[in-house]
Amino acid sequence: MMKQLFGLIIVLFAITMQACSQGQNQQKKKESFEVVKTEAEWKKLLTPSQFYILRQKGTERAFSGKYWDNHAKGQYHCAACQLPLFSSETKFESGTGWPSFYQPLNDKAVRKVEDVSYGMVREEVVCNRCGGHLGHVFPDGPEPTGLRYCLNSEALSFVKTK
């Protein structure tokens, strides 16, 4: 009886370890991006504040960014790799002091990643091409999506259209 119990424990342990390993492998696959650079390469390419936000997952102060009150027509791109991310057509006034959008340009523009920092569970939004931290998405936006992509201006560049 004791040998059977011990054998069962060993089998359950092996299954648990295999599942954990598969989960880690899936996480690594999720974290692969088309544009990959070293920390030194990113530091050369980005301003110090862009590096802090895009690569170190920082946040700018509310109402301090250049795009929170931008009303021009155009597209918002990733400041690191220039991937088009959001349109001014989906930008709205959230009252938060950060540029807010209710949807990205398409399904391949951004990636959502679980963020458990600061004792909270949130959805981080990253550029799908380079993995740069853009901000977070919350379920309190306007229709038609009900989402609020709350982004950092420093993580974006703006291309005006006529």
Side-chain angles (χ1 to χ4, degrees):
M1 179 75 169
M2 191 64 135
K3 285 183 181 180
Q4 290 173 335
L5 182 60
F6 184 70
L8 181 60
I9 290 171
I10 296 295
V11 168
L12 290 174
F13 179 75
I15 291 170
T16 302
M17 293 307 291
Q18 182 180 11
C20 288
S21 174
Q22 288 174 349
Q24 288 173 346
N25 288 338
Q26 287 175 352
Q27 183 67 20
K28 286 180 184 175
K29 286 179 188 173
K30 287 180 187 174
E31 292 175 1
S32 63
F33 295 97
E34 181 183 335
V35 175
V36 178
K37 296 183 183 299
T38 65
E39 187 170 306
E41 290 172 322
W42 284 121
K43 281 184 177 180
K44 282 183 181 179
L45 180 68
L46 303 169
T47 67
S49 57
Q50 287 174 326
F51 182 81
Y52 169 67
I53 290 168
L54 285 158
R55 308 314 308 172
Q56 297 179 318
K57 301 179 187 280
T59 301
E60 64 198 14
R61 287 181 298 111
F63 303 100
S64 69
K66 57 188 167 191
Y67 299 129
W68 76 270
D69 197 30
N70 182 27
H71 299 285
K73 301 279 186 212
Q75 284 188 344
Y76 293 84
H77 295 200
C78 173
C81 72
Q82 298 308 310
L83 179 67
L85 303 172
F86 293 87
S87 168
S88 61
E89 300 289 319
T90 63
K91 188 174 187 287
F92 69 97
E93 295 298 326
S94 66
T96 62
W98 287 281
S100 297
F101 304 83
Y102 61 80
Q103 76 182 28
L105 278 174
N106 58 57
D107 293 340
K108 294 183 173 135
V110 298
R111 192 180 302 185
K112 297 176 191 174
V113 180
E114 184 179 70
D115 176 2
V116 294
S117 62
Y118 304 108
M120 297 180 277
V121 178
R122 300 179 290 173
E123 277 191 294
E124 177 187 8
V125 180
V126 300
C127 172
N128 202 35
R129 183 188 286 163
C130 71
H133 171 77
L134 304 170
H136 291 87
V137 63
F138 302 96
D140 60 0
E143 293 300 326
T145 65
L147 299 175
R148 174 175 51 97
Y149 289 82
C150 186
L151 308 181
N152 292 285
S153 289
E154 286 291 329
L156 304 171
S157 64
F158 182 70
V159 178
K160 193 173 184 177
T161 57
K162 296 178 183 182

